[in-house]
Amino acid sequence: MTEAVPSYLSPTGQEIVFLLLGAVAVGSALLVVTTRQLVHAALWLVVCFGALAGCYLVLTAEFVAWVQVLIYVGAIVVLLLFGIMLTRAPIGRSADLDSGNRIVAAVVALATAAILVTVVIDGFRTAYTPLEPGAGAAKELGASIFATWVLPFEALSVLLLAALIGAIVLSRTDIPGGSPPTGPAPPAGPVTGGADPPVRGDPAPPDRPSDQTSGGQ
């Protein structure tokens, strides 16, 4: 016997919570790209990742939810904040964060969202899968990642490694093209207690008055 598919006009409690968390994720993502303060953008990114973790919990994928919290909220956002501090980026309100292509970016974002929504609705219009606990456990996910999705997983690892190397290069000051040192400039020549020795070819310095007086006496 085929299980009856519930109607979208009478959503369950899990579906309502999922929709609310999705709205929070979308709203915080918009604030990430529209705010003019880098630190506030990182904090709104924390809210977005937390809402996604809540969506995973509703979908009974507890392992993915805690990985989302530990890696993205606890590591990626902290890495972004450290990158802001190490590169001495302005943390206050800045007017030059906008590239001036806001209209073009909005059109591209809306077109991409429309394509994705159309593909998802057309592909999963009649599909319905009941939520079963345990489907998002570590065993099933590990077998899927390292068997079916191992190549994208390794490509993502290389991408994160390249981003880490780029952050290290930007934070170094002794590499050509890096940030100049902010300390006082060192003296041009060695500082000694006496006078500098005469250079060959220069005229000899005149005798001091004390030497002439002692010689005349």
Side-chain angles (χ1 to χ4, degrees):
M1 181 180 294
T2 305
E3 184 178 358
V5 178
S7 174
Y8 293 104
L9 299 178
S10 59
T12 61
Q14 291 178 340
E15 293 174 348
I16 294 175
V17 173
F18 185 83
L19 291 175
L20 292 177
L21 289 173
V24 172
V26 173
S28 57
L30 290 175
L31 290 173
V32 169
V33 297
T34 55
T35 183
R36 294 184 181 274
Q37 297 188 9
L38 292 179
V39 177
H40 289 182
L43 296 178
W44 282 118
L45 190 61
V46 171
V47 177
C48 181
F49 287 156
L52 288 178
C55 292
Y56 292 140
L57 283 177
V58 174
L59 296 176
T60 68
E62 295 85 1
F63 178 75
V64 181
W66 297 125
V67 167
Q68 176 82 15
V69 173
L70 292 176
I71 295 180
Y72 286 93
V73 177
I76 300 299
V77 176
V78 174
L79 181 62
L80 290 176
L81 292 176
F82 270 99
I84 293 173
M85 291 186 294
L86 289 175
T87 55
R88 297 182 179 88
I91 60 175
R93 187 176 180 86
S94 181
D96 57 352
L97 294 179
D98 196 355
S99 63
N101 298 324
R102 179 174 297 184
I103 298 177
V104 177
V107 171
V108 173
L110 291 176
T112 305
I115 293 174
L116 292 176
V117 170
T118 303
V119 170
V120 170
I121 292 177
D122 185 67
F124 300 95
R125 179 180 302 172
T126 58
Y128 174 75
T129 302
L131 298 178
E132 298 178 358
K139 181 179 179 180
E140 289 79 4
L141 290 175
S144 177
I145 290 175
F146 293 103
T148 307
W149 305 98
V150 62
L151 184 59
F153 180 78
E154 295 299 331
L156 182 60
S157 302
V158 174
L159 178 62
L160 293 177
L161 179 61
L164 180 60
I165 294 175
I168 294 174
V169 171
L170 289 176
S171 63
R172 294 284 297 272
T173 58
D174 55 345
I175 299 178
S179 301
T182 57
V191 179
T192 56
D196 295 336
V199 183
R200 181 177 298 179
D202 293 340
D207 296 334
R208 291 179 294 180
S210 58
D211 296 340
Q212 296 176 358
T213 305
S214 60
Q217 294 175 354

